[in-house]
Every structure is written in structure tokens, then in C-alpha cells.
Amino acid sequence: MSSTPRFTESREKIYKNNPILAIDDVPQNGIFARTITTKQDRNPNSGIIEYKNNSLVDWNTHYRNLTPRECFLLMGFNERQYDDLMRSNVSVREGKRMLADTKLIKLAGNSIVVPVLEAIFKQVVDLNEMLGN
């Protein structure tokens, strides 16, 4: 699984120094993801998913990185929008798509969180109305 790296010494630092966004895929309340960057497998990164009770692979029973889907959801996209994106992510050869996971994560991170932007615009409109503009 591409989002679960081998647990090397450098990745142990990632595990110890980044926010735990979820444990066993259960979101942790009050924990905020950092900026989504081109590469999740570095320190610092946007956050990790910690394993307590299970693991998908035997080479890393500690954590995994965010998947492209999770990155898009954090940015305010919904499941349908992500599924639409993936349907249009055409295959260029067997096992390869036009947009690899790293490119998808870069696309997600190279944006502003839509609900945050909407809230900013709403505050601007409210202030203008309050000031009579």
C-alpha cells in the first residue's frame, strides 16, 4: 500500500513528530491537519493515521500517511467529487494512470480549503452589510 511506508529510522521521526489525525481510522477531535504538501512521506507532514489495533501491512504496524482521497476530503471536496476525478483519471498504460497518487496529493494541497474560503467571504459580506456598504 503506497500510503504505508516501511518503518525506517527517518520514518520513526515522522511518526513521533507529526499530528495523529486518526487512530485506527477513527478521527481525533480537536486535532488539525497541517498543510497538505506534495510529499506526505517527509517531516513535517500534514499528519498521520496511527495504528493501535490493526495494520494493513506487516512492515509498518505504527502508522500510515494520508491517501489522496483523504487529502481531497480535508480540502473540502466530497466523496462524489473525488469519485468523479478518479473516473476521469484515465489509464495511460497498464497499472499507470495519468495522475499518480503523488500528483493527486499535490493537486489537493495546491489549493485553499473551500469551506474556509466560503466562511471568509461570508464574513466580508456580513461586515459590509454591518457597515452599510
Side-chain angles (χ1 to χ4, degrees):
M1 172 178 230
S2 65
S3 63
T4 308
R6 295 198 180 278
F7 198 67
T8 61
E9 187 176 316
S10 64
R11 290 178 178 138
E12 184 175 359
K13 289 179 185 174
I14 291 171
Y15 174 64
K16 289 179 178 177
N17 296 324
N18 288 282
I20 296 171
L21 304 174
I23 298 174
D24 292 329
D25 293 326
V26 176
Q28 299 299 291
N29 291 330
I31 304 296
F32 296 96
R34 293 180 182 151
T35 301
I36 296 171
T37 60
T38 304
K39 192 167 181 172
Q40 291 296 294
D41 192 23
R42 71 176 185 195
N43 194 16
N45 71 16
S46 55
I48 60 173
I49 310 301
E50 184 177 40
Y51 294 130
K52 289 285 188 188
N53 299 316
N54 60 43
S55 177
L56 299 176
V57 292
D58 60 358
W59 67 74
N60 184 345
T61 59
H62 296 50
Y63 79 97
R64 68 174 176 78
N65 295 315
L66 298 175
T67 63
R69 177 182 297 274
E70 291 165 334
C71 291
F72 275 88
L73 294 175
L74 278 171
M75 295 303 291
F77 290 78
N78 63 43
E79 294 279 356
R80 182 191 53 78
Q81 291 167 323
Y82 182 79
D83 290 341
D84 288 346
L85 171 64
M86 293 312 294
R87 272 192 293 280
S88 59
N89 189 12
V90 296
S91 181
V92 291
R93 63 178 181 267
E94 188 173 334
K96 297 286 182 187
R97 297 212 169 256
M98 183 173 60
L99 298 172
D101 283 358
T102 54
K103 296 292 184 193
L104 290 166
I105 290 170
K106 182 177 182 178
L107 281 173
N110 194 17
S111 183
I112 185 169
V113 181
V114 174
V116 171
L117 185 60
E118 289 172 341
I120 291 169
F121 285 146
K122 183 180 181 328
Q123 283 190 342
V124 169
V125 168
D126 291 348
L127 281 171
N128 275 336
E129 288 174 359
M130 190 171 72
L131 297 172
N133 294 331

